[in-house]
Amino acid sequence: MLKTHTCGELRPEHAGQSVTLAGWVFRRRDQGGVIFIDLRDRWGIVQVVVNQENAPDAHKAADDARSEYVLMVKGVVRLRPEGTVNDELETGAVEVGVEHIEILNESKVPPFYLNQDVEIEERVRMKYRYLDLRRPKMQRNMIMRHKVVKFIRDYLDERGFLEIETPILFKTTPEGARDFLVPSRLNPGTFYALPQSPQQLKQLLMVGGYERYFQIARCFRDEDLRGDRQPEFTQLDMEMSFVQRDDVMALIEGLMIAVTEQVAGKTPKYKPFPRITYTEALEKYGSDKPDLRYDLAAVDISDIAARSSFIVFQQNAEAGKPIKVMRAPGYAAKMSGTEMRKVMGELETMARGEGAKGLAYLAIGDTLESEVKGPAAKYFSVDQKAELFERVGAEPGDILLFVSDVREVVYNVVDKLRRHLAGVLNLADPEEVAFGWVIDFPMFYWNEDEKRWDPSQHMFTMPLPEDVALLDTDPGKARGSQYDLACNGYEVAGGSIRIHDRALQEKIFPLIGQTLEHARDQFGHMLEAFEYGVPPHGGLASGIDRLVMVLLAEPNIREVIAFPKTQTGSDIMANCPTPAEPRQLEEAHIRVVPVPEK
RNA sequence: GGAGCUGUGGUGUAGUGGUUAACAUAUUGCCCUGUCAAGGCAAAGAUCGCGGGUUCGAAACCCGUCAGCUCCGCCA
């Protein structure tokens, strides 16, 4: 080893020891006769001091050194002189008095600051990702990610789970996301698909008798990217036999609490995790993955609004369109009348963007009885206002926002306004972590384009026992055994109890527009396997990238992935994807069709 | 497929029709033996993403295009 100690570990108890360090020049302070270098490695930063009189050769090397030079430093650890202790550094009580410096490698001037917390344009960071990764924040993120994964492995191992690898080259699935395809050279004209998740394989492992399986699995989906979505990502994939819904939920809840507390050093806002139904989530928060760090729930006031003198509300109530109120606590008190009109105009634009026709509001003054302003105020009688305020828990200084339309639009507007208001009212503490289960999802949602039901999770999800009969009579009402885990407005996990009965499975296919023959074609191996003694089983998958992102309060999934893709799915460091060589195409039996001109 | 935002020395920003394109920082040189975002002095560094147009004149206005980001569609 070229180092005896790490830069980050030196403490007063090391004083007097001769050490050899190796790392990068983080900062250099040249005082003439004495040069200070903050030397950085993965474990931290320590100050090394070079004195011209004591170590002339080392001083010459320190004089030549520049930012990001790689140095090997020999010297003696000593307590810093009184008054020069640096409380900002973990190693700030000590320094290394240098006897020898060897420049292991020089560095060009880095294209951006590694030693300052300045926002750098994303494409520059990505082009020089290997430098970006040197920044302390990125190293912290990668270390946290490692610890989370390690903790999960140990936790599940201790509970009897086996980590089993499943193929990356597998079969295309017509369901769900678009597949990445891989041509088979040995079988001209045929293709593997990269797994969207090991869903089928883990179920087959249950058939295989493993009972408790997990995998830190890479998954691939050829869909457009988002701030929380990359085309390749990592899942904790797990499956258990002989379990019911609560067993899986309890295991994962225990795991998530332990990870949050023992790895991330935070405490979940709610223990145990609250459970809300899918319907309740949408009615209150407009989302099936609500941010539970703050309340801001929408309240249905259709009955009151129907009695108001506002024609639109009367008509909507008549047509069965809900009228909901969102209470922005204290928002009116923060603004002048002019500001309010401007801000409400912006909110209305936001609501229109989600399909609403408008956004009525009402601002409450210093008391609930006085100074009620805003366009919606005049439509409600004094008694109706009192009833309204009581219903939504209004307080002086609040603004009440009225949303009314078909349910889907109301949900979208509520979700959008919630997230926005939480931001402007500072309701979402970035350091807080609020998990919550969402359960009782519908089995299917209606696909109007294809005129069929689509599975809301996947086709192997078991209906709730009491809803099995609904498959024949009213499939849209049937609820599945699905459970999703939401955290801070992100979906961080989802799973279900699976169908283990072939007859029930075969009932699902026609509902989702698949003929039995087609199903046999695509899932014959599954159906066949299901004839050989399948244990009741269920499991869950959790997006590791997203989970780590939330635990670190990072706003973007790229911050927790070493080499992520840009929004157009490219890697601007390595410059890919690129066209294939003609020879490669020939071997793969692929012909490229030029993109047609517009 | 669509909408929006952004693109100015290495980096971060200012500059809304006429400027020597400004500032900070980084960089280079010199000075400096207790600094820690060290300091002082000096220097170098930008055809304002690219192409076209409007104009006497464009970093700025218009059109197109490319890239990055955010969002909708898409995706659990």
Side-chain angles (χ1 to χ4, degrees), chain A residues 513-528:
Chain A
Q514 290 228 22
T515 63
L516 212 49
E517 284 109 61
H518 186 65
R520 285 210 182 92
D521 219 38
Q522 294 295 332
F523 301 104
H525 55 291
M526 293 292 285
L527 293 173
E528 198 175 356

Side-chain angles (χ1 to χ4, degrees), chain A residues 235-381:
Chain A
Q235 277 188 349
L236 160 62
D237 189 53
M238 57 84 64
E239 195 79 8
M240 307 168 76
S241 293
F242 308 111
V243 289
Q244 295 175 312
R245 186 166 77 169
D246 281 352
D247 299 313
V248 180
M249 291 170 76
L251 177 91
I252 295 302
E253 186 162 327
L255 170 62
M256 291 295 172
I257 290 171
V259 164
T260 305
E261 293 181 344
Q262 294 173 44
V263 183
K266 300 183 178 183
T267 306
K269 181 163 180 143
Y270 306 105
K271 288 193 292 183
F273 297 168
R275 297 184 181 195
I276 58 174
T277 66
Y278 173 84
T279 308
E280 191 186 351
L282 286 176
E283 290 293 328
K284 286 174 78 170
Y285 309 118
S287 166
D288 62 359
K289 43 178 191 293
D291 192 336
L292 298 174
R293 285 174 296 176
Y294 47 89
D295 186 30
L296 279 188
V299 177
D300 196 292
I301 54 124
S302 301
D303 54 326
I304 303 173
R307 285 180 270 121
S308 75
S309 58
F310 191 23
I311 307 271
V312 173
F313 285 173
Q314 293 170 11
Q315 288 172 346
N316 281 2
E318 182 72 20
K321 296 176 184 171
I323 298 138
K324 285 181 180 282
V325 163
M326 293 189 70
R327 184 175 77 90
Y331 204 13
K334 291 184 178 178
M335 292 184 285
S336 69
T338 324
E339 278 171 326
M340 197 185 301
R341 275 186 292 279
K342 178 165 169 282
V343 165
M344 289 303 127
E346 289 165 4
L347 291 187
E348 179 159 21
T349 304
M350 203 176 285
R352 286 179 193 277
E354 300 300 320
K357 313 242 175 359
L359 184 71
Y361 70 93
L362 177 162
I364 305 172
D366 294 334
T367 70
L368 288 182
E369 291 75 31
S370 71
E371 291 184 66
V372 174
K373 289 181 286 197
K378 62 175 181 282
Y379 298 118
F380 293 94
S381 70

Side-chain angles (χ1 to χ4, degrees), chain A residues 29-68:
Chain A
R29 292 176 293 281
D30 186 350
Q31 298 271 285
V34 63
I35 297 174
F36 298 92
I37 289 174
D38 288 342
L39 196 67
R40 181 198 75 237
D41 67 13
R42 208 189 85 199
W43 290 270
I45 293 166
V46 69
Q47 171 167 284
V48 303
V49 189
V50 193
N51 191 303
Q52 190 166 28
E53 277 179 17
N54 305 344
D57 290 346
H59 185 271
K60 173 71 174 64
D63 199 38
D64 291 340
R66 293 291 181 272
S67 283
E68 299 306 313

Side-chain angles (χ1 to χ4, degrees), chain A residues 284-285 294-301 324-329 359-362 392 398-403 410-411 413-419 421-422:
Chain A
K284 286 174 78 170
Y285 309 118
Y294 47 89
D295 186 30
L296 279 188
V299 177
D300 196 292
I301 54 124
K324 285 181 180 282
V325 163
M326 293 189 70
R327 184 175 77 90
L359 184 71
Y361 70 93
L362 177 162
V392 303
D398 289 353
I399 295 180
L400 304 186
L401 296 151
F402 294 78
V403 188
V410 170
Y411 296 157
V413 174
V414 168
D415 184 31
K416 187 89 174 185
L417 287 178
R418 265 192 102 231
R419 290 171 190 266
L421 290 173

Side-chain angles (χ1 to χ4, degrees), chain A residues 336-597:
Chain A
S336 69
T338 324
E339 278 171 326
M340 197 185 301
R341 275 186 292 279
K342 178 165 169 282
V343 165
M344 289 303 127
E346 289 165 4
L347 291 187
E348 179 159 21
T349 304
M350 203 176 285
R352 286 179 193 277
E354 300 300 320
K357 313 242 175 359
L359 184 71
Y361 70 93
L362 177 162
I364 305 172
D366 294 334
T367 70
L368 288 182
E369 291 75 31
S370 71
E371 291 184 66
V372 174
K373 289 181 286 197
K378 62 175 181 282
Y379 298 118
F380 293 94
S381 70
V382 172
D383 287 349
Q384 286 167 348
K385 275 179 209 155
E387 190 181 357
L388 183 61
F389 292 168
E390 169 78 30
R391 173 87 54 92
V392 303
E395 290 179 18
D398 289 353
I399 295 180
L400 304 186
L401 296 151
F402 294 78
V403 188
S404 181
D405 210 298
V406 294
R407 271 182 201 282
E408 195 179 316
V409 170
V410 170
Y411 296 157
N412 288 340
V413 174
V414 168
D415 184 31
K416 187 89 174 185
L417 287 178
R418 265 192 102 231
R419 290 171 190 266
H420 176 79
L421 290 173
V424 297
L425 296 173
N426 255 325
L427 299 175
D429 179 349
E431 289 309 310
E432 215 162 40
V433 178
F435 289 97
W437 291 104
V438 181
I439 58 173
D440 294 354
F441 281 68
M443 286 282 286
F444 312 103
Y445 59 90
W446 184 248
N447 183 333
E448 186 57 35
D449 294 341
E450 307 285 339
K451 302 286 178 207
R452 62 161 198 239
W453 296 101
D454 279 349
S456 66
Q457 193 200 18
H458 53 62
M459 65 176 74
F460 306 110
T461 300
M462 176 90 96
L464 288 182
E466 61 267 36
D467 287 4
V468 171
L470 285 170
L471 295 182
D472 297 316
T473 56
D474 194 354
K477 285 223 163 60
R479 292 163 300 167
S481 59
Q482 183 184 347
Y483 33 84
D484 274 15
L485 187 62
C487 186
N488 293 11
Y490 296 99
E491 183 203 321
V492 295
S496 63
I497 300 301
R498 329 296 184 186
I499 298 170
H500 62 278
D501 173 60
R502 175 164 173 161
L504 183 55
Q505 185 67 61
E506 289 194 352
K507 200 178 251 184
I508 302 292
F509 291 126
L511 281 173
I512 60 176
Q514 290 228 22
T515 63
L516 212 49
E517 284 109 61
H518 186 65
R520 285 210 182 92
D521 219 38
Q522 294 295 332
F523 301 104
H525 55 291
M526 293 292 285
L527 293 173
E528 198 175 356
F530 275 34
E531 295 184 278
Y532 290 97
V534 182
H537 63 286
L540 166 144
S542 172
I544 296 283
D545 320 84
R546 228 180 250 173
L547 178 67
V548 175
M549 168 180 102
V550 173
L551 291 176
L552 286 167
E554 286 286 3
N556 195 289
I557 199 167
R558 291 186 300 274
E559 302 301 321
V560 300
I561 297 174
F563 299 101
K565 306 276 189 291
T566 68
Q567 194 159 51
T568 52
S570 49
D571 178 326
I572 45 187
M573 176 187 70
N575 182 32
C576 79
T578 48
E581 293 296 322
R583 159 137 198 186
Q584 296 175 300
L585 291 173
E586 202 175 306
E587 286 179 341
H589 318 285
I590 298 265
R591 188 170 298 137
V592 174
V593 180
V595 179
E597 301 280 333

